[in-house]
């Protein structure tokens, strides 16, 4: 023994500097990624897709065909009140239902077929009988993300309220009497004649976590792949004798061979993990899910690709690889997954990350399977394509770099050197 107390190592400045820099940068990056992405979604929002549907059939008033629905939708479309925050998509009812059912819309505003006839009845023009307030319907879509649905609901509700004021002004003019000559009750009604109703445009089951089960399920898959990569990497090192174990002598393996062994383990064990994740979420916890065989296959592939990607980073970067894995699969991934805050409400840098971050791609596929009847256009096709691309990139990067390490003689344990021969005296 050296006689030097182990705690004296705390006097070493390089130890403090190295660990201080690494942990400090890690803390700063996580704060930037998590807080920065969600600190002001309203201000960063741009072109949030919202449907605008006009089914109004119009009515004949004073011998002329009138359509308040057309006027309202045109006014909303041309309005600059929301700037470029909302992308109003004029469409028919079928297109709206299809896009809500694919998660392409965060909400919609619908003008019903009897809007003009109900509105003109309030002034005594048009149809006869007991007048009823015209309605505008605001549709939400929690399956596309709760925050995005809330932002869309606020925008459509505001547009509906403005449309009500516009309709009131037009009805007053059309009455031909002038607002001053109308009874007090009629003036009050015409000031804001439209009732606004809010409905769920794409209802989900009660065990769908208000549209968040897809995100959390995908997060579980990515975390399983990431953490199991760390476990498998360590256990393979144990088995080959690179770290302390009682299993036998060192088995020399190149870096490429080690990654191949670890990746094979990951691919096989993904079958087990994918099965148990689905058993836990659907079987034990009762999560609403359909297309179970497809969900199982997608889950297995997601874990395998995430795990092999993490193994690649661990093999290429060594000990710092786990920090890189954490940043790629968790730090940068969670805020850009589009599950809580929509991509349209993120700053530009985070939208760029979302184009390739694995969690976003996997979440899109899971969302399609769970909420949108496994439609390819709802994110499933993109999920498969991006997972395949990620696997190919991991293989090319990992085996390419490790092959270069091997060719350069950068082996994990250097070859034994021959002992120097003692000089023989003359």
């Amino acid at each position: 023994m050296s006689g030097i107390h182990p705690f004296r190592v705390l006097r070493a400045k390089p130890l403090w500097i190295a660990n201080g820099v690494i942990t400090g940068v890690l803390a700063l990056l996580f704060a930037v990624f998590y807080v920065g992405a969600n600190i002001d979604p309203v201000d960063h929002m741009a072109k949030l897709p919202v449907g605008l549907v006009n089914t109004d059939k119009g009515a004949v008033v004073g011998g002329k065909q009138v359509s308040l629905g057309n006027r309202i939708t045109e006014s909303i479309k041309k309005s600059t009140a929301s700037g470029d925050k909302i992308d109003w998509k004029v469409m028919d009812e079928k297109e709206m239902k299809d896009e809500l059912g694919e998660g392409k819309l965060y909400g919609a505003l619908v003008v019903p077929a009897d809007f003009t006839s109900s509105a003109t009845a309030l002034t005594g023009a048009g149809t006869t009988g007991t007048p009823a307030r015209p309605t505008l319907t605001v549709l939400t879509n929690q399956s596309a993300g709760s925050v995005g649905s809330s932002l869309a609901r606020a925008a459509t509700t505001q547009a509906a309220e403005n449309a009500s004021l516009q309709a009131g002004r037009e009805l007053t003019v059309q009455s031909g009497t002038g607002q001053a000559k109308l009874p007090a009750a009629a003036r009050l009604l015409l000031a804001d004649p439209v009732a606004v109703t809010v409905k769920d445009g794409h209802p989900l089951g009660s065990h769908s976590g208000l549209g968040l089960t897809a995100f959390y399920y995908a997060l579980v898959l990515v975390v399983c792949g990431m953490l199991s990569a760390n476990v498998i990497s360590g256990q393979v090192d144990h088995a080959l004798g690179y770290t302390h174990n009682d299993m036998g002598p060192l088995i020399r393996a190149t870096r490429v061979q080690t990654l191949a062994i670890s990746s094979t383990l990951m691919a096989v064990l993904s079958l087990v993990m994918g099965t148990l994740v689905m058993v836990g979420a659907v079987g034990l916890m009762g999560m609403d899910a359909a297309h179970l065989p497809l969900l199982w296959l997608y889950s297995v592939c997601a874990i395998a690709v995430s795990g092999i990607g993490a193994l690649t980073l661990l093999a290429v970067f060594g000990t710092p690889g786990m920090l890189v894995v954490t940043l790629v699969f968790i730090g940068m991934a969670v805020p850009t997954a589009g599950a809580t805050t929509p991509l349209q409400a993120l700053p530009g840098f985070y939208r760029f990350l979302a184009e390739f971050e694995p969690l976003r791609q996997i979440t899109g596929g899971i969302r399609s399977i769970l909420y949108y009847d496994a439609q390819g256009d709802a994110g499933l096709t993109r999920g498969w394509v991006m997972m395949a691309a990620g696997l190919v990139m991991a293989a090319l990067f990992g085996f390419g770099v490790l092959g270069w390490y091997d060719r350069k003689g950068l082996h994990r344990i250097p070859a034994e050197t021959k002992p120097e021969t003692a000089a023989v005296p003359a």
Side-chain angles (χ1 to χ4, degrees):
M1 297 180 65
S2 63
I4 300 176
H5 197 282
F7 277 86
R8 290 193 63 181
V9 73
L10 293 175
R11 298 182 181 180
K13 291 183 179 179
L15 180 68
W16 287 99
I17 294 173
N19 285 281
V21 169
I22 292 172
T23 56
V25 169
L26 195 64
L28 177 63
L29 289 177
F30 265 82
V32 169
F33 288 136
Y34 277 69
V35 180
N38 299 285
I39 198 168
D40 191 1
V42 175
D43 185 58
H44 292 122
M45 187 169 65
K47 297 189 179 302
L48 189 76
V50 178
L52 186 57
V53 180
N54 176 30
T55 64
D56 185 20
K57 296 180 180 179
V60 177
V61 180
K64 296 181 180 180
Q65 182 70 24
V66 176
S67 177
L68 293 177
N70 286 340
R71 297 177 186 176
I72 287 173
T73 52
E74 284 298 319
S75 175
I76 293 174
K77 183 69 176 176
K78 295 178 180 179
S79 174
T80 60
S82 61
D84 65 345
K85 295 182 181 299
I86 300 297
D87 182 13
W88 295 104
K89 295 183 174 294
V90 179
M91 56 183 61
D92 61 34
E93 201 165 12
K94 182 182 183 304
E95 290 174 328
M96 176 202 67
K97 291 180 179 178
D98 289 343
E99 295 206 9
L100 284 173
E102 294 175 354
K104 296 179 179 179
L105 294 177
Y106 286 92
L109 179 62
V110 180
V111 182
D114 63 346
F115 184 78
T116 299
S117 59
S118 297
T120 54
L122 298 178
T123 65
T127 59
T128 59
T130 304
R133 293 184 70 188
T135 61
L136 291 174
T137 303
V138 170
L139 297 179
T140 61
N141 191 8
Q142 282 193 332
S143 66
S146 56
V147 174
S149 180
S150 297
L151 292 172
R153 174 177 175 172
T156 49
T157 301
Q158 182 63 50
E161 291 172 352
N162 292 339
S164 178
L165 298 177
Q166 176 185 339
R169 290 191 294 269
E170 294 192 19
L171 289 173
T172 300
V173 173
Q174 289 174 9
S175 68
T177 59
Q179 189 171 3
K181 297 180 181 180
L182 291 174
R187 292 200 305 271
L188 182 62
L189 181 59
L190 289 183
D192 187 11
V194 180
V196 179
T197 61
V198 179
K199 296 181 180 179
D200 192 344
H202 185 73
L204 298 175
S206 60
H207 289 182
S208 295
L210 299 178
L212 287 174
T213 50
F215 167 68
Y216 286 113
Y217 192 95
L219 181 61
V220 169
L221 299 179
V222 171
V223 170
C224 282
M226 183 188 75
L227 295 182
S228 60
N230 192 44
V231 173
I232 288 173
S233 178
Q235 291 301 314
V236 168
D237 283 349
H238 283 325
L240 294 176
Y242 285 99
T243 55
H244 176 72
N245 70 93
D246 299 319
M247 297 178 65
L250 173 67
I251 301 174
R252 289 201 174 276
T254 65
R255 291 177 181 270
V256 168
Q257 290 171 336
T258 303
L259 179 58
I261 293 169
S262 300
S263 297
T264 301
L265 269 173
M266 176 62 70
V268 174
L269 294 179
S270 294
L271 297 168
V272 178
M273 288 185 283
T275 301
L276 292 178
V277 167
M278 196 169 78
V279 167
V282 180
L284 298 180
M285 304 310 298
M287 182 183 77
D288 289 333
H291 307 283
L292 294 183
L294 178 59
L295 178 62
W296 174 83
L297 178 62
Y298 192 89
S299 301
V300 169
C301 292
I303 293 175
V305 172
S306 300
I308 292 172
L311 284 170
T312 297
L313 295 175
L314 290 170
V316 169
F317 295 106
T319 301
M322 196 58 199
L323 294 179
V324 179
V325 169
T326 302
L327 286 174
V328 172
F329 288 93
I330 299 297
M332 294 187 294
V334 172
T336 60
T340 50
T341 303
L343 301 183
Q344 293 84 356
L346 295 176
F349 172 68
Y350 301 91
R351 296 184 202 179
F352 167 74
L353 291 179
E355 292 300 316
F356 55 85
E357 268 297 327
L359 182 57
R360 186 251 172 138
Q361 326 306 327
I362 293 172
T363 299
I366 295 296
R367 182 183 283 141
S368 174
I369 295 171
L370 294 183
Y371 306 152
Y372 305 133
D373 199 28
Q375 297 178 80
D377 288 345
L380 185 57
T381 298
R382 180 187 174 92
W384 282 121
V385 170
M386 294 300 287
M387 280 201 295
L391 183 61
V392 170
M393 291 179 61
L396 292 176
F397 177 65
F399 289 112
V401 173
L402 296 180
W404 181 80
Y405 285 170
D406 288 335
R407 289 191 299 274
K408 289 292 185 179
L410 302 175
H411 303 300
R412 303 184 68 190
I413 295 182
E416 293 85 357
T417 57
K418 294 183 179 180
E420 296 182 3
T421 303
V424 180

